[in-house]
Every structure is written in structure tokens, then in C-alpha cells.
Amino acid sequence: MHRITLINGDGIGPEISDSVVKIIDKAGLKIDWDIQSAGADVIEKEGTPLPERVLDSVKKNKVALKAPVTTPIGKGFRSVNVQLRKSLDLYANLRPCKNLPGVETRFKDVDIVVVRENTEDLYAGVEEQIDENTAHSIKIITREASERICRFAFDYAQKNNRKEVCVVTKANIMKLSDGLFLDSYRNVAKDYPNINKREILVDNLCMQLVQDPTRFDVLVLPNLYGDIVSDLTAGLIGGLGVAQGANIGKECAVFEPVHGSAPDIKGQNKANPTALLLSAIEMLKYIDENQIAQKIEKALFATLSQGFKTADIGGNLSTTEFTDKIISNL
Ligand code: NAI
């Protein structure tokens, strides 16, 4: 039996985790879930939002499914998500964005994969207060991390029969830091003669994505642009409720949706579990449970095609009603 870490998060985290765990169980796969709490709720008892036991569990099990965890804005503890990605060296954030059956969107045939560098850039958290009215935030870009993520993007493209890898920067302005990312891309690109290369500035990319997203295939970006652009691409396929993600490192992988803990709908049985379920389907493929993954994907797509949806994508079902529909379609 697979033993997998489950970080069930806070906000809507526990509701969508319950849904996904139930669907996998009903699909016929028994998983020994190693449930690990993290975030604001554990600080009082354990003194930190990300106790060592959580990291140890992921290191031991090698695979985790993670629901969102709240990060206080402006003050308070550092993001659990950022810490987790850094501590486990989960350097690649993979966010595929593809239209789903039954989910109405402005564009058809969106099929974009966002590959986001996950360990540095402005997320390194190097900030200083110079005086009351001045603060600095340092953007860190290294050749090692940049080449590693570009190689990941090209390898992914090759393995998944994608045609192009486009690098996204603002190297016209940040000539040194983004310039280094771009140079790393060009170096790595030489090893992949069969894949189209393309370079674009992030502002132009955003404009083109909302005009015609079918112009793009695989995108590789430094951390912050990747964060922002992947929310944009999530919007193209129906919003955060359906956008999946994965954080992948050499040793382990953590699968999690793009969205956050949605405090505005917490505890209301309204959350869409699709993004976490799609992330879990990718996790099942990662552990070679392809048959079960396909079975669940088919049931999810059938449910959406039959018009059964949660409110965020135009339906009227609660989290639990939507979950039950998927289960009946298994
Ligand atoms: P959010 O993604 O939680 O919510 C944005 C909007 O999308 C809200 O209106 C929310 O109701 C809706 N939404 C999100 N997921 C949904 C779902 N599954 N079903 C239906 N509607 C959904 O972003 P926000 O409000 O900026 O962040 C809330 C908290 O989450 C913050 O503390 C943030 O730091 C944290 N966060 C955590 C992440 C993680 O754990 N990986 C990722 C992003 C944010």
C-alpha cells in the first residue's frame, strides 16, 4: 500500500481534502495517508507553522498531497508553502492549464504548461527596512537554478510531445538578473534541437495570453512572473477552482492546487475540489497508478460534462454533492 503525506491545510483545505480522499478510496485505491497539519493552527502548540515532522514525513514518503495553507499578509510568519518548497528543494513548479469538458470559458483549445522556478527570485525573502519610508527586496537569480528549471521545462516538453518552450523575462529592464535567466535558457536550449525556442517579455506575454492563449505551449519563468502568469492562465480555463499544480524536486514531489485557502468561503461547503483532485490525479500518475488516475479523470470529466458543477464555475452544487456525483460516475 502507498504511504503518502497529506497536508490537509486550513481554510477550505480540510473540505476539499476530505472530498479527494473519499474519491480516491471509492475508486478502489487504498492509500495509507500520513496526515500532517501545518499553518496558523499548529503555531500555538508547536511554535512554528511548519514543524520538522511535516518535512520528515514528506522526505520519508517522497510524495505528498497538499491543500492550501493561509499566509498572513504584510506581517506574521513566512509562507509555509515557500518554506516547504525551499526546505525540500522542490525546484520546479508545474502548472498545466487545459480546458475542461463542460466548463464554459472565453477561449477553446487552451493547452498551456507553466513551468515556474520555485526556489529563488524575489521569493528568497531577502528584505530589509532601510528606514521608516524605504524597504528593499532583493531579487536573487543564479545560473544553477535557472539552468536547472530550463532543463526541466525542455525535458518535460520532450517527454510530453510538446513543440515549444518559451522563456519569459523582463530582461530589457533587469538586464543582470533576468538577463542571467535568459542566458541560462539559451545555453540549455542548445541541447534540444527538436523543440522550438521563443523569448518574450512578461508584459507582452500577458497581453497576448488574454488575446489568444492558443499561441502558447510550454512557458518557463522565474518565480514571481510564474506565480502571476499561472493565475492568469488559471483564469483562462475557468478560474482557481480548476487549476492544478505540482512542486517537483530530485527527491520528492508535493502536489497542490494553484489556489489558496479561500477564507471567504471557508466552512460553507461551497469550495470546488476539482483543482486538488486534478493535482491528485497527477500524483497518482507520478506513483504509477495510471489506471486509477484515468478512472478518476473520466469520472470527473463525465460529471462536469453532465453539467454538475460548483458555484465558482457556474453550477449550484455544494462540495459534498459534487463529490458524490463524481463517485457515482466512477
Ligand atoms: P485564494 O486562491 O484563496 O482565493 C481567491 C478567490 O478564489 C476567492 O474568492 C476564493 O473564494 C476563490 N477560490 C479559490 N479556490 C477556490 C476553490 N477551490 N473553489 C471555489 N472558489 C475558490 O487567494 P487569496 O484570497 O489571495 O489567498 C487566501 C490565502 O491563501 C492567503 O493567506 C494566501 O497566502 C494563501 N495561499 C496559499 C497557497 C498555498 O497554500 N499553496 C497559494 C495561494 C495563496
Side-chain angles (χ1 to χ4, degrees), residues 115-186:
V115 178
R116 165 185 172 194
E117 202 288 325
N118 225 3
T119 62
E120 52 183 31
D121 193 356
L122 283 158
Y123 279 71
V126 187
E127 292 198 291
E128 54 180 348
Q129 193 80 40
I130 304 301
D131 60 41
E132 202 191 329
N133 300 309
T134 315
H136 287 178
S137 192
I138 298 174
K139 174 168 167 126
I140 296 174
I141 302 284
T142 65
R143 186 176 298 281
E144 190 188 356
S146 305
E147 287 198 353
R148 180 165 73 160
I149 195 67
C150 291
R151 197 165 292 286
F152 180 94
F154 276 103
D155 284 342
Y156 178 90
Q158 211 157 43
K159 235 186 262 162
N160 293 278
N161 298 318
R162 314 286 307 209
K163 293 195 170 52
E164 178 180 279
V165 175
C166 174
V167 64
V168 185
T169 66
K170 189 76 185 168
N172 55 333
I173 305 296
M174 275 154 284
K175 293 181 195 295
L176 299 184
S177 52
D178 280 14
L180 179 56
F181 193 87
L182 180 59
D183 191 54
S184 306
Y185 166 87
R186 289 176 180 162

Side-chain angles (χ1 to χ4, degrees), residues 12 66 68-71 81 240 256 259-265 272:
I12 57 168
K66 180 184 161 295
V69 176
T70 304
T71 304
N81 309 305
L240 287 169
E256 64 171 344
H259 67 74
S261 55
D264 53 335
I265 55 166
N272 188 349

Side-chain angles (χ1 to χ4, degrees), residues 21 32 38 65 79 118 152 163 185 216 219 256 319 328-329:
V21 165
D32 177 15
L65 183 65
S79 162
N118 225 3
F152 180 94
K163 293 195 170 52
Y185 166 87
F216 297 94
L219 302 172
E256 64 171 344
T319 312
S328 67
N329 271 320

Side-chain angles (χ1 to χ4, degrees), residues 6-30:
L6 176 66
I7 302 168
N8 56 0
D10 54 31
I12 57 168
E15 298 166 59
I16 56 175
S17 302
D18 284 353
S19 158
V20 169
V21 165
K22 197 168 161 193
I23 293 167
I24 295 175
D25 183 64
K26 296 286 182 193
L29 184 69
K30 297 291 165 224

Side-chain angles (χ1 to χ4, degrees), residues 36 57 111 147 242-243:
Q36 297 287 337
S57 163
D111 186 4
E147 287 198 353
V242 298

